[in-house]
Each structure stands twice: as C-alpha cells, then as structure tokens.
Coordinates of all heavy atoms in Angstrom, one line a residue:
M1256 N 76.1 -93.5 111.1 CA 74.8 -92.9 111.1 C 74.0 -93.6 110.1 O 74.4 -93.8 109.0 CB 75.0 -91.4 110.8 CG 73.7 -90.6 110.9 SD 74.0 -88.9 110.8 CE 73.2 -88.5 109.3
S1257 N 72.8 -93.9 110.4 CA 71.9 -94.5 109.4 C 70.5 -94.0 109.6 O 70.1 -93.7 110.7 CB 72.0 -96.1 109.5 OG 71.5 -96.5 110.8
K1258 N 69.8 -94.0 108.5 CA 68.4 -93.6 108.5 C 67.7 -94.6 107.5 O 68.2 -95.0 106.5 CB 68.2 -92.2 107.9 CG 68.7 -91.1 108.8 CD 68.3 -89.8 108.3 CE 68.7 -88.7 109.3 NZ 68.3 -87.4 108.9
G1259 N 66.6 -95.1 107.9 CA 65.9 -96.0 107.1 C 64.6 -96.4 107.7 O 64.1 -95.9 108.7
T1260 N 64.0 -97.4 107.0 CA 62.7 -98.0 107.5 C 62.7 -99.5 107.2 O 63.3 -100.0 106.3 CB 61.6 -97.2 106.7 OG1 60.3 -97.7 107.3 CG2 61.5 -97.5 105.3
R1261 N 61.9 -100.1 108.0 CA 61.7 -101.6 107.8 C 60.5 -101.8 106.8 O 59.6 -101.1 106.8 CB 61.3 -102.2 109.1 CG 62.4 -102.1 110.2 CD 62.0 -102.9 111.4 NE 60.6 -102.6 111.9 CZ 59.9 -103.3 112.7 NH1 60.4 -104.4 113.2 NH2 58.7 -103.0 113.0
V1262 N 60.7 -102.8 106.0 CA 59.6 -103.2 105.1 C 59.0 -104.5 105.7 O 59.7 -105.5 106.0 CB 60.2 -103.5 103.7 CG1 59.0 -104.0 102.8 CG2 60.8 -102.2 103.1
I1263 N 57.7 -104.5 105.9 CA 57.0 -105.7 106.5 C 56.0 -106.1 105.6 O 55.4 -105.4 104.7 CB 56.4 -105.3 107.9 CG1 55.5 -104.1 107.8 CG2 57.5 -105.0 108.9 CD1 54.8 -103.8 109.1
D1264 N 55.6 -107.4 105.7 CA 54.5 -108.0 104.9 C 53.2 -107.7 105.5 O 53.1 -107.1 106.6 CB 54.8 -109.4 104.6 CG 54.7 -110.3 105.8 OD1 54.3 -109.8 106.9 OD2 55.2 -111.5 105.7
E1265 N 52.1 -108.2 104.9 CA 50.8 -108.0 105.4 C 50.5 -108.6 106.7 O 49.6 -108.2 107.4 CB 49.7 -108.5 104.3 CG 49.8 -109.9 104.0 CD 50.8 -110.3 102.9 OE1 51.4 -109.4 102.3 OE2 51.1 -111.5 102.7
N1266 N 51.3 -109.6 107.1 CA 51.2 -110.2 108.5 C 52.0 -109.5 109.5 O 52.0 -109.9 110.7 CB 51.6 -111.7 108.4 CG 50.7 -112.5 107.5 OD1 49.5 -112.2 107.4 ND2 51.3 -113.4 106.8
G1267 N 52.7 -108.5 109.1 CA 53.5 -107.7 110.1 C 54.9 -108.3 110.3 O 55.6 -107.9 111.2
N1268 N 55.3 -109.2 109.4 CA 56.6 -109.9 109.5 C 57.7 -109.0 108.8 O 57.4 -108.5 107.7 CB 56.6 -111.3 108.9 CG 55.7 -112.2 109.7 OD1 55.6 -112.1 110.9 ND2 55.0 -113.0 109.0
F1269 N 58.8 -108.9 109.4 CA 59.9 -108.1 108.8 C 60.4 -108.8 107.6 O 60.7 -110.0 107.6 CB 61.1 -108.0 109.9 CG 62.3 -107.3 109.3 CD1 62.3 -105.9 109.2 CD2 63.4 -108.1 109.0 CE1 63.5 -105.3 108.7 CE2 64.5 -107.5 108.5 CZ 64.6 -106.1 108.4
I1270 N 60.6 -108.0 106.5 CA 61.1 -108.6 105.2 C 62.5 -108.1 105.0 O 63.4 -108.9 104.9 CB 60.2 -108.2 104.0 CG1 58.8 -108.8 104.3 CG2 60.8 -108.8 102.8 CD1 57.8 -108.3 103.2
Y1271 N 62.7 -106.8 105.0 CA 64.0 -106.2 104.8 C 64.0 -104.8 105.2 O 63.0 -104.2 105.6 CB 64.5 -106.4 103.3 CG 63.6 -105.8 102.3 CD1 63.7 -104.4 101.9 CD2 62.6 -106.5 101.7 CE1 62.9 -103.9 101.0 CE2 61.8 -106.0 100.7 CZ 61.9 -104.7 100.3 OH 61.1 -104.1 99.4
F1272 N 65.2 -104.2 105.2 CA 65.4 -102.8 105.6 C 65.9 -102.0 104.4 O 66.8 -102.4 103.7 CB 66.4 -102.8 106.7 CG 66.7 -101.5 107.3 CD1 65.9 -100.9 108.3 CD2 67.9 -100.8 106.9 CE1 66.2 -99.7 108.8 CE2 68.1 -99.5 107.4 CZ 67.3 -99.0 108.4
I1273 N 65.3 -100.8 104.2 CA 65.7 -99.9 103.2 C 66.3 -98.7 103.9 O 65.6 -98.1 104.8 CB 64.5 -99.4 102.3 CG1 64.0 -100.6 101.6 CG2 65.0 -98.4 101.3 CD1 62.8 -100.2 100.7
G1274 N 67.5 -98.3 103.6 CA 68.0 -97.2 104.3 C 69.3 -96.6 103.7 O 69.8 -97.1 102.7
I1275 N 69.8 -95.6 104.3 CA 71.1 -94.9 103.9 C 72.0 -95.0 105.1 O 71.6 -94.6 106.2 CB 70.8 -93.5 103.5 CG1 69.9 -93.5 102.3 CG2 72.1 -92.8 103.2 CD1 69.4 -92.1 102.0
M1276 N 73.3 -95.3 104.8 CA 74.3 -95.3 105.9 C 75.4 -94.4 105.5 O 75.7 -94.2 104.3 CB 74.8 -96.7 106.1 CG 73.8 -97.7 106.6 SD 74.4 -99.3 106.9 CE 75.3 -99.1 108.4
R1277 N 76.0 -93.7 106.5 CA 77.1 -92.8 106.3 C 78.2 -93.2 107.2 O 78.1 -93.4 108.4 CB 76.6 -91.4 106.6 CG 77.6 -90.3 106.4 CD 77.1 -88.9 106.7 NE 78.2 -88.0 106.6 CZ 78.1 -86.8 107.2 NH1 77.0 -86.4 107.9 NH2 79.1 -86.0 107.1
D1278 N 79.4 -93.3 106.5 CA 80.6 -93.6 107.3 C 81.2 -92.4 108.0 O 81.5 -91.4 107.4 CB 81.7 -94.2 106.3 CG 82.9 -94.7 107.0 OD1 82.9 -94.7 108.3 OD2 83.9 -95.0 106.3
L1279 N 81.2 -92.4 109.3 CA 81.7 -91.3 110.1 C 83.1 -91.5 110.6 O 83.6 -90.7 111.4 CB 80.8 -91.1 111.3 CG 79.3 -90.8 111.0 CD1 78.5 -90.7 112.3 CD2 79.2 -89.5 110.2
T1280 N 83.8 -92.5 110.1 CA 85.2 -92.8 110.5 C 86.1 -91.6 110.4 O 86.8 -91.2 111.3 CB 85.8 -94.0 109.7 OG1 84.9 -95.1 109.9 CG2 87.1 -94.3 110.3
A1281 N 86.1 -90.9 109.2 CA 87.0 -89.8 109.0 C 86.6 -88.6 109.9 O 87.5 -87.9 110.4 CB 86.9 -89.3 107.5
L1282 N 85.4 -88.4 110.1 CA 84.9 -87.3 111.0 C 85.4 -87.6 112.5 O 85.9 -86.7 113.1 CB 83.4 -87.2 111.0 CG 82.8 -86.1 111.9 CD1 83.2 -84.7 111.5 CD2 81.3 -86.3 111.9
K1283 N 85.2 -88.8 112.9 CA 85.7 -89.2 114.3 C 87.2 -89.1 114.4 O 87.7 -88.6 115.4 CB 85.2 -90.6 114.6 CG 83.7 -90.8 114.8 CD 83.2 -90.0 116.0 CE 81.8 -90.2 116.2 NZ 81.2 -89.5 117.3
Q1284 N 87.9 -89.5 113.4 CA 89.4 -89.4 113.4 C 89.8 -87.9 113.5 O 90.7 -87.6 114.2 CB 90.0 -90.1 112.2 CG 89.9 -91.6 112.3 CD 90.4 -92.2 111.0 OE1 90.5 -91.6 110.0 NE2 90.7 -93.5 111.1
A1285 N 89.2 -87.1 112.7 CA 89.5 -85.6 112.8 C 89.2 -85.0 114.1 O 90.0 -84.2 114.6 CB 88.7 -84.9 111.7
E1286 N 88.1 -85.4 114.8 CA 87.7 -84.9 116.1 C 88.8 -85.4 117.1 O 89.2 -84.6 118.0 CB 86.4 -85.5 116.5 CG 85.2 -84.8 115.8 CD 83.9 -85.3 116.2 OE1 83.8 -86.3 117.0 OE2 82.9 -84.8 115.7
N1287 N 89.2 -86.6 117.0 CA 90.3 -87.2 117.9 C 91.6 -86.4 117.7 O 92.2 -86.1 118.7 CB 90.5 -88.7 117.7 CG 89.3 -89.5 118.3 OD1 88.6 -89.0 119.1 ND2 89.2 -90.7 117.8
K1288 N 91.9 -86.1 116.5 CA 93.2 -85.4 116.2 C 93.1 -84.0 116.8 O 94.0 -83.5 117.4 CB 93.4 -85.4 114.7 CG 94.6 -84.7 114.2 CD 95.8 -85.5 114.4 CE 97.0 -84.9 113.7 NZ 98.2 -85.6 113.9
R1289 N 92.0 -83.3 116.6 CA 91.8 -82.0 117.1 C 91.9 -82.0 118.7 O 92.5 -81.1 119.3 CB 90.4 -81.4 116.7 CG 90.1 -80.0 117.2 CD 88.8 -79.5 116.8 NE 87.7 -80.3 117.3 CZ 87.2 -80.3 118.5 NH1 87.6 -79.5 119.4 NH2 86.2 -81.1 118.8
H1290 N 91.3 -83.0 119.3 CA 91.3 -83.1 120.7 C 92.8 -83.3 121.2 O 93.2 -82.7 122.2 CB 90.5 -84.3 121.2 CG 90.4 -84.5 122.7 ND1 89.8 -83.6 123.5 CD2 91.0 -85.5 123.5 CE1 90.0 -84.0 124.8 NE2 90.7 -85.2 124.7
Q1291 N 93.5 -84.1 120.5 CA 94.9 -84.3 120.9 C 95.7 -83.0 120.7 O 96.6 -82.7 121.6 CB 95.6 -85.4 120.0 CG 95.1 -86.8 120.3 CD 95.6 -87.8 119.3 OE1 96.2 -87.5 118.3 NE2 95.3 -89.1 119.6
I1292 N 95.5 -82.3 119.7 CA 96.2 -81.0 119.5 C 95.9 -80.0 120.5 O 96.7 -79.3 121.1 CB 95.9 -80.4 118.1 CG1 96.6 -81.3 117.0 CG2 96.4 -79.0 117.9 CD1 96.1 -81.0 115.6
E1293 N 94.6 -79.9 120.9 CA 94.2 -79.0 122.0 C 94.8 -79.4 123.3 O 95.3 -78.6 124.1 CB 92.6 -79.1 122.1 CG 91.9 -78.3 121.1 CD 90.4 -78.4 121.2 OE1 89.9 -79.1 122.1 OE2 89.7 -77.8 120.4
E1294 N 94.9 -80.7 123.6 CA 95.5 -81.2 124.8 C 97.0 -80.8 124.9 O 97.5 -80.3 125.9 CB 95.4 -82.7 124.9 CG 94.7 -83.2 126.1 CD 94.6 -84.7 126.2 OE1 95.6 -85.4 126.2 OE2 93.4 -85.2 126.1
K1295 N 97.7 -81.0 123.7 CA 99.1 -80.6 123.7 C 99.3 -79.1 123.8 O 100.3 -78.7 124.5 CB 99.7 -81.1 122.3 CG 99.9 -82.6 122.2 CD 100.5 -83.0 120.9 CE 100.7 -84.5 120.8 NZ 101.2 -84.9 119.5
A1296 N 98.4 -78.3 123.3 CA 98.5 -76.9 123.4 C 98.3 -76.5 124.9 O 99.0 -75.6 125.4 CB 97.5 -76.2 122.5
Q1297 N 97.4 -77.1 125.6 CA 97.2 -76.8 127.0 C 98.4 -77.2 127.8 O 98.8 -76.4 128.7 CB 96.0 -77.6 127.5 CG 94.7 -77.0 127.0 CD 93.5 -77.8 127.5 OE1 93.6 -78.9 128.2 NE2 92.3 -77.4 127.2
I1298 N 99.0 -78.3 127.5 CA 100.2 -78.7 128.2 C 101.4 -77.7 128.0 O 102.1 -77.3 128.9 CB 100.6 -80.2 127.9 CG1 99.6 -81.1 128.4 CG2 102.0 -80.5 128.4 CD1 99.8 -82.6 127.9
T1299 N 101.5 -77.3 126.7 CA 102.6 -76.4 126.3 C 102.3 -75.0 127.1 O 103.3 -74.4 127.6 CB 102.6 -76.1 124.8 OG1 102.8 -77.4 124.2 CG2 103.6 -75.2 124.4
S1300 N 101.1 -74.6 127.2 CA 100.8 -73.4 127.8 C 101.1 -73.5 129.3 O 101.7 -72.5 129.9 CB 99.3 -73.0 127.7 OG 99.0 -71.9 128.4
R1301 N 100.8 -74.6 129.9 CA 101.1 -74.8 131.4 C 102.6 -74.8 131.6 O 103.1 -74.1 132.5 CB 100.5 -76.1 131.9 CG 99.1 -76.0 132.1 CD 98.6 -77.2 132.8 NE 97.4 -77.7 132.1 CZ 97.2 -79.0 131.7 NH1 98.0 -79.9 132.1 NH2 96.1 -79.3 131.0
L1302 N 103.4 -75.4 130.7 CA 104.8 -75.5 130.8 C 105.4 -74.1 130.6 O 106.4 -73.7 131.3 CB 105.4 -76.4 129.8 CG 105.2 -77.9 130.1 CD1 105.7 -78.8 128.9 CD2 105.9 -78.3 131.4
A1303 N 104.9 -73.3 129.7 CA 105.4 -71.9 129.5 C 105.1 -71.1 130.8 O 106.0 -70.3 131.2 CB 104.7 -71.3 128.3
S1304 N 104.0 -71.3 131.4 CA 103.6 -70.5 132.6 C 104.6 -70.9 133.7 O 105.1 -70.0 134.5 CB 102.2 -70.8 133.1 OG 101.3 -70.4 132.1
V1305 N 104.9 -72.2 133.9 CA 105.9 -72.6 134.9 C 107.2 -72.0 134.6 O 107.9 -71.6 135.6 CB 105.9 -74.2 135.0 CG1 107.1 -74.6 135.8 CG2 104.6 -74.7 135.5
G1306 N 107.6 -72.0 133.4 CA 108.9 -71.4 133.0 C 109.0 -69.9 133.3 O 110.0 -69.4 133.9
E1307 N 107.9 -69.2 133.0 CA 107.9 -67.8 133.4 C 108.0 -67.5 134.9 O 108.6 -66.6 135.3 CB 106.6 -67.1 132.8 CG 106.6 -67.0 131.3 CD 105.3 -66.4 130.7 OE1 104.6 -65.8 131.5 OE2 105.1 -66.5 129.5
M1308 N 107.2 -68.4 135.6 CA 107.2 -68.2 137.1 C 108.7 -68.5 137.6 O 109.2 -67.8 138.5 CB 106.2 -69.2 137.7 CG 106.1 -69.1 139.2 SD 104.9 -70.1 139.9 CE 105.6 -71.7 139.6
A1309 N 109.3 -69.6 137.1 CA 110.7 -69.9 137.5 C 111.6 -68.8 137.2 O 112.5 -68.4 138.0 CB 111.1 -71.2 136.9
A1310 N 111.5 -68.2 136.1 CA 112.4 -67.1 135.7 C 112.1 -65.9 136.6 O 113.1 -65.2 137.0 CB 112.1 -66.7 134.2
G1311 N 110.9 -65.6 137.0 CA 110.6 -64.5 137.9 C 111.1 -64.8 139.3 O 111.7 -63.9 139.9
I1312 N 111.0 -66.0 139.7 CA 111.6 -66.3 141.1 C 113.1 -66.2 141.0 O 113.7 -65.6 142.0 CB 111.1 -67.7 141.5 CG1 109.6 -67.8 141.8 CG2 111.9 -68.2 142.7 CD1 109.1 -69.2 141.9
A1313 N 113.7 -66.7 140.0 CA 115.2 -66.6 139.9 C 115.6 -65.1 139.9 O 116.6 -64.8 140.5 CB 115.7 -67.3 138.6
H1314 N 114.9 -64.3 139.2 CA 115.2 -62.9 139.1 C 115.1 -62.2 140.5 O 115.9 -61.5 140.9 CB 114.3 -62.2 138.1 CG 114.5 -60.7 138.0 ND1 115.6 -60.2 137.3 CD2 113.8 -59.6 138.4 CE1 115.6 -58.9 137.4 NE2 114.5 -58.5 138.0
E1315 N 114.0 -62.6 141.2 CA 113.8 -62.0 142.6 C 114.9 -62.5 143.5 O 115.3 -61.7 144.4 CB 112.4 -62.4 143.1 CG 111.3 -61.7 142.4 CD 111.3 -60.2 142.5 OE1 111.6 -59.7 143.6 OE2 111.0 -59.6 141.5
I1316 N 115.4 -63.7 143.4 CA 116.5 -64.2 144.2 C 117.8 -63.5 143.8 O 118.6 -63.2 144.7 CB 116.5 -65.7 144.2 CG1 115.3 -66.3 144.8 CG2 117.8 -66.2 144.8 CD1 115.2 -67.8 144.7
N1317 N 118.0 -63.4 142.5 CA 119.3 -62.9 142.0 C 119.5 -61.4 142.4 O 120.6 -61.0 142.6 CB 119.4 -63.1 140.5 CG 120.8 -63.0 140.0 OD1 121.7 -63.3 140.7 ND2 120.9 -62.6 138.8
N1318 N 118.5 -60.6 142.4 CA 118.6 -59.2 142.7 C 119.3 -58.9 144.1 O 120.3 -58.2 144.1 CB 117.3 -58.4 142.6 CG 116.9 -58.1 141.2 OD1 117.8 -58.1 140.3 ND2 115.7 -57.7 141.0
P1319 N 118.8 -59.4 145.2 CA 119.5 -59.2 146.5 C 120.9 -59.8 146.5 O 121.8 -59.3 147.1 CB 118.6 -59.9 147.5 CG 117.3 -60.1 146.8 CD 117.5 -60.1 145.4
L1320 N 121.1 -61.0 145.9 CA 122.4 -61.6 145.9 C 123.4 -60.7 145.2 O 124.5 -60.6 145.6 CB 122.3 -63.0 145.3 CG 121.6 -64.1 146.1 CD1 121.5 -65.4 145.3 CD2 122.2 -64.3 147.4
T1321 N 123.0 -60.1 144.1 CA 123.9 -59.3 143.3 C 124.3 -58.1 144.2 O 125.5 -57.7 144.2 CB 123.2 -58.7 142.0 OG1 122.8 -59.9 141.3 CG2 124.1 -57.9 141.2
A1322 N 123.4 -57.5 144.9 CA 123.7 -56.4 145.8 C 124.7 -56.8 146.8 O 125.7 -56.1 147.2 CB 122.5 -55.8 146.4
F1323 N 124.5 -58.0 147.4 CA 125.3 -58.5 148.5 C 126.8 -58.7 147.9 O 127.7 -58.4 148.6 CB 124.7 -59.8 149.0 CG 125.6 -60.5 150.0 CD1 125.7 -60.0 151.3 CD2 126.3 -61.6 149.7 CE1 126.6 -60.6 152.2 CE2 127.1 -62.2 150.6 CZ 127.2 -61.7 151.9
L1324 N 126.9 -59.3 146.7 CA 128.2 -59.6 146.2 C 128.9 -58.4 145.8 O 130.1 -58.3 145.9 CB 128.0 -60.5 145.0 CG 127.5 -62.0 145.3 CD1 127.3 -62.7 144.0 CD2 128.5 -62.7 146.1
V1325 N 128.2 -57.3 145.3 CA 128.9 -56.1 145.0 C 129.4 -55.4 146.2 O 130.6 -54.9 146.2 CB 127.9 -55.1 144.2 CG1 128.4 -53.7 144.1 CG2 127.5 -55.7 142.9
F1326 N 128.7 -55.3 147.3 CA 129.1 -54.6 148.5 C 130.2 -55.4 149.3 O 130.9 -54.9 150.1 CB 128.0 -54.2 149.4 CG 127.2 -53.1 148.8 CD1 125.9 -53.3 148.4 CD2 127.7 -51.8 148.7 CE1 125.1 -52.2 147.8 CE2 127.0 -50.8 148.1 CZ 125.7 -51.0 147.7
R1327 N 130.3 -56.7 149.0 CA 131.2 -57.6 149.8 C 132.6 -57.4 149.3 O 133.5 -57.6 150.1 CB 130.8 -59.0 149.5 CG 131.3 -59.9 150.6 CD 130.8 -61.3 150.4 NE 131.9 -62.1 149.8 CZ 131.9 -63.3 149.6 NH1 130.8 -64.0 149.8 NH2 132.9 -64.0 149.1
K1328 N 132.8 -56.9 148.1 CA 134.2 -56.8 147.6 C 134.9 -55.6 148.2 O 134.9 -54.7 148.6 CB 134.2 -56.6 146.1 CG 133.8 -57.9 145.4 CD 133.8 -57.8 143.9 CE 133.4 -59.1 143.3 NZ 133.5 -59.0 141.9

C-alpha cells in the first residue's frame, strides 16, 4: 500500500516522488493462514457429518439383523 504525490518542475516534468509505503506481507500471510484454517475446519465438519450418517445407517441395519439373529436360535 502506498500513498504519495509526484513532484514536478515548472515545465511539468516529473522530478521525484514523495510518499509512504506500508509492507502488507504479514497481513496477507495471516489472511492466507486464516483461510487455510477455515478450509480445514469445513472439511473436518463434512467428515464428521459423513461419520454420523454412516453410524446412523449402520444402526438402522443392525437393529433388524439383531432381531433376526435372536429369533433364529
């Protein structure tokens, strides 16, 4: 990020630039790190949802099988 102004002579020719510059490297790195953490959290959440769904399906399949195995003996 920079702010400044050009210095020109009486003929309108550019002489030099006076300004302030700010290094945004650390800010950009922090934003990238936050984005990566958010992405990992979303993936973890999706995997947890799939795991819960698989457990629910296994439970629904296991209930009738248990009854069948109990009455078969």
Side-chain angles (χ1 to χ4, degrees):
M1256 183 171 116
S1257 64
K1258 290 185 178 184
T1260 187
R1261 296 183 314 159
V1262 176
I1263 55 175
D1264 64 12
E1265 59 276 350
N1266 296 325
N1268 298 321
F1269 174 77
I1270 301 175
Y1271 56 89
F1272 180 83
I1273 298 176
I1275 299 171
M1276 295 181 78
R1277 181 176 172 202
D1278 185 8
L1279 299 177
T1280 304
L1282 178 65
K1283 292 293 184 182
Q1284 288 174 344
E1286 285 177 359
N1287 287 339
K1288 181 79 169 174
R1289 182 183 57 81
H1290 180 69
Q1291 290 173 351
I1292 291 170
E1293 285 177 356
E1294 238 178 66
K1295 286 180 182 179
Q1297 288 177 355
I1298 291 170
T1299 302
S1300 176
R1301 282 188 232 135
L1302 287 173
S1304 296
V1305 169
E1307 288 178 17
M1308 184 177 66
I1312 291 170
H1314 180 71
E1315 291 297 321
I1316 292 172
N1317 197 28
N1318 279 345
L1320 290 177
T1321 302
F1323 175 74
L1324 291 174
V1325 168
F1326 286 113
R1327 201 176 104 172
K1328 289 183 180 182

